[in-house]
Amino acid sequence: MSPIARALAAASLAAVAMAGPAAAGTTLDAVRSRGTLSCGVNTGVAGFSQPDSQGVWRGLDADLCRAIAAAALGDANKVRFLPLSGQQRFPALQSGEIDVLVRQTTATMGRDTAIGLRTVGINFYDGQGFMVRKDAGVSRAAQLDGATVCVQQGSTTEGNLADWYRAANIRVTPVLFERIDQVAAAFSSGRCDALTTDASQIAAVRSSFPNPADFIVLPDRISKEPLGPMVRRDDQEWFDLVRWTLNALIEAEELGITAANAEARRAQDSSPTVRRLLGADPSLAQGAKLSPSWAYDAIRAVGNYGELFERNVGRSTPLGMERGPNALWTAGGLMYAWPLR
């Protein structure tokens, strides 16, 4: 049995054993009763979820957690961030330790059908790549024949790596670590010839090295990695809240609504689409048991999707990432909000 299959089987058993807490009531009820959203995030990946020098969690995923808290509670600051390793993340969600997982988690059929969880939507389109030392003389992944490769254990990257080198008919020796920071440390210290993970994480790891220019990211992508938040299955009310909060941030960018102008657009814009999104027309909120201002509160707190992207991982950040597939559909990307009507 492959490492991924073993992880799915173990997580499926855990889902059966720990399904009790979710049945006691809806997650939205629990969050409101507690007054705080518990959000599972990565243990520390620049641009996605990482505490700053003051201990404040920053990043694309962290901001989505804040947007969900704003939609559910009216306050983006009412979030408890729980850093989780790849092995910890699914049991933490299954058991009710966290309310939502926003942790660079790839949406796959196995995860969406076998472990009692559901992927809500995609907040970052990614793909798995490789990083090597610049002086290694390697320019393409096919040249890694005989190499050792640092990889995170229990992740989709581990399984993708195995599928790739077998299909390419080359010899690669995986060196496994539980956390991405351990993967990065081992690679930078010379324990492995290459590092593999999602391209977004590679950019984050590279930016954290003292001399990023000493390392290059190979152009090859060996997988599709659509990353998005996950919730427990069979809690449709909470699923809806998380899904439509993400869609609201994307819709806001499509409509040109920002954190700075949301208040003025809410008061002055006569567009039915804008009025529905910002709560001037409360009809959408009623069906979801939300405050009329749920989307407005989220947008005012963190901005639209484009603002999240540029602030955390965009060209002006140390990661320097282009929008690429994460651009709006009107700009050649894949980001497309479902109609909020």
Side-chain angles (χ1 to χ4, degrees):
M1 183 181 290
S2 72
I4 297 299
R6 286 197 301 271
L8 287 173
S12 182
L13 290 174
V16 174
M18 297 186 289
T26 71
T27 304
L28 181 56
D29 290 338
V31 168
R32 285 176 171 165
S33 176
R34 189 191 315 128
T36 305
L37 173 76
S38 294
C39 195
V41 294
N42 213 317
T43 52
V45 176
F48 288 85
S49 59
Q50 186 177 58
D52 64 15
S53 60
Q54 305 300 314
V56 178
W57 283 87
R58 305 292 185 188
L60 187 75
D61 288 346
D63 278 346
L64 181 53
C65 292
R66 291 187 176 93
I68 296 167
L73 299 168
D75 189 339
N77 294 316
K78 292 183 176 179
V79 183
R80 170 179 171 257
F81 292 98
L82 184 64
L84 300 167
S85 70
Q87 302 282 8
Q88 296 168 329
R89 56 184 165 174
F90 298 137
L93 183 57
Q94 291 158 343
S95 68
E97 185 178 4
I98 58 174
D99 304 308
V100 60
L101 179 68
V102 190
R103 190 204 169 280
Q104 291 176 290
T105 297
T106 302
T108 69
M109 182 176 177
R111 289 173 174 175
D112 208 43
T113 59
I115 60 175
L117 306 177
R118 294 303 303 270
T119 301
V120 175
I122 306 304
N123 73 322
F124 195 89
Y125 289 94
D126 211 344
Q128 185 171 336
F130 296 89
M131 179 164 58
V132 297
R133 290 169 189 79
K134 190 174 183 178
D135 60 10
V138 174
S139 60
R140 298 304 299 259
Q143 296 173 269
L144 293 174
D145 190 18
T148 54
V149 180
C150 287
V151 63
Q152 189 172 7
Q153 186 175 22
S155 63
T156 56
T157 57
E158 182 187 357
N160 291 339
L161 176 65
D163 289 346
W164 168 75
Y165 69 71
R166 288 167 185 156
N169 196 30
I170 63 176
R171 295 174 297 107
V172 167
T173 302
V175 184
L176 305 178
F177 301 91
E178 183 181 1
R179 302 192 313 270
I180 190 63
D181 59 324
Q182 295 171 329
V183 173
F187 171 66
S188 65
S189 68
R191 288 188 60 185
C192 311
D193 301 309
L195 176 154
T196 187
T197 186
D198 296 345
S200 59
Q201 286 198 336
I202 290 177
V205 168
R206 183 174 179 270
S207 72
S208 71
F209 289 160
N211 298 299
D214 291 344
F215 303 87
I216 62 171
V217 181
L218 302 182
D220 307 87
R221 296 292 178 270
I222 64 171
S223 72
K224 295 180 291 185
E225 303 295 330
L227 311 178
M230 296 189 77
V231 298
R232 287 178 289 277
R233 185 182 284 272
D234 299 328
D235 191 344
Q236 189 64 46
E237 186 176 77
W238 185 244
F239 179 96
D240 289 344
L241 182 146
V242 177
R243 173 169 63 181
W244 289 107
T245 299
L246 175 57
N247 273 278
L249 301 183
I250 300 169
E251 175 90 328
E253 184 180 8
E254 293 181 1
L255 296 172
I257 299 169
T258 67
N261 71 20
E263 184 174 3
R265 295 287 296 272
R266 187 186 193 199
Q268 302 168 9
D269 203 309
S270 61
S271 162
T273 303
V274 172
R275 288 176 56 80
R276 283 193 296 267
L277 178 64
L278 298 182
D281 174 352
S283 57
L284 285 178
Q286 293 168 355
K289 300 180 183 178
L290 298 174
S291 162
S293 65
W294 66 277
Y296 169 78
D297 292 336
I299 297 162
R300 280 272 290 167
V302 303
N304 63 43
Y305 178 80
E307 290 180 281
L308 265 68
F309 187 98
E310 294 302 335
R311 177 169 66 244
N312 293 301
V313 300
R315 286 170 290 184
S316 63
T317 70
L319 275 69
M321 301 188 75
E322 300 288 341
R323 289 289 294 267
N326 295 294
L328 292 179
W329 63 288
T330 51
L334 299 175
M335 282 295 168
Y336 186 116
W338 291 13
L340 278 83
R341 61 172 181 260

